[in-house]
Amino acid sequence: MAIALIPGSFDPVTNGHLDIIERTAAHFDQVVAAVIRNPQKSKALFTLQERQEMLAEVTASLGNVRIDSFKGLLVDFAREHSVSAIVKGLRAVSDFDYELQMAQMNYKLARIDTLFMPTSPQHSFLSSSLVREVARFGGDVSSMVPAAVALRLKERFNRDE
Ligand code: PNS
């Protein structure tokens, strides 16, 4: 069974993530979207449970996708779950340097391949951090994230202000 691992912070999941998950699901028997428990970048807007719930909700129609979480090294999770390959979306050349470095490190550590999938052009400007920022200041993100996520963002920022 060929299992693809799509890791990320998913804070929150965007239409760009969903595009990569859907297209990966068409090539593999199973896809595991794994949410990192403690994103290093910044304080997460959503809790691990919320990030997982949103992912589960927006991938519910995809029968071969499941949601999990991990901490520590990605390759340890990949080994424990008999993953065939890690799949990463590439939005632009600017993503490539760091992604290549991580792919080579992960291969060195565990002989696990990383496959890069080009993001669909309509999503190439999207990132969770920009979506959070736009939503925080009341901008319309409804075409950038699934409806369930747009609703959660609205609730989160209405509640906080
Ligand atoms: O959505 P993100 O924040 O870009 O995802 C980054 C993520 C979680 C894929 C990356 O930080 C990661 O793999 N972290 C796990 C720790 C690890 O294995 N580090 C070594 C990578 S070479």
Side-chain angles (χ1 to χ4, degrees), residues 6-119:
I6 305 185
S9 306
F10 300 107
D11 187 35
V13 57
T14 67
N15 287 343
H17 292 125
L18 194 52
D19 170 52
I20 297 295
I21 294 170
E22 282 171 353
R23 286 160 59 210
T24 303
H27 295 283
F28 284 82
D29 298 311
Q30 233 185 64
V31 174
V32 182
V35 184
I36 190 162
R37 288 198 198 154
N38 302 109
Q40 291 135 348
K41 284 178 189 164
S42 59
K43 201 177 162 328
L45 175 63
F46 292 104
T47 64
L48 171 66
Q49 192 186 334
E50 289 169 325
R51 286 179 281 141
Q52 284 190 275
E53 277 169 9
M54 283 185 274
L55 262 172
E57 214 170 318
V58 304
T59 59
S61 61
L62 302 167
N64 62 340
V65 175
R66 65 182 182 83
I67 313 305
D68 209 328
S69 67
F70 73 102
K71 64 175 180 185
L73 283 180
L74 181 65
V75 291
D76 289 339
F77 178 90
R79 266 197 288 237
E80 282 158 25
H81 292 79
S82 306
V83 161
S84 321
I86 296 163
V87 174
K88 292 287 195 80
L90 283 186
R91 289 167 296 194
V93 179
S94 49
D95 281 341
F96 184 72
D97 279 353
Y98 187 49
E99 290 297 343
L100 177 66
Q101 203 180 359
M102 283 199 289
Q104 290 173 330
M105 176 60 87
N106 285 332
Y107 188 81
K108 170 81 179 164
L109 291 172
R111 298 279 179 276
I112 289 179
D113 277 317
T114 298
L115 307 180
F116 294 127
M117 178 163 304
T119 300

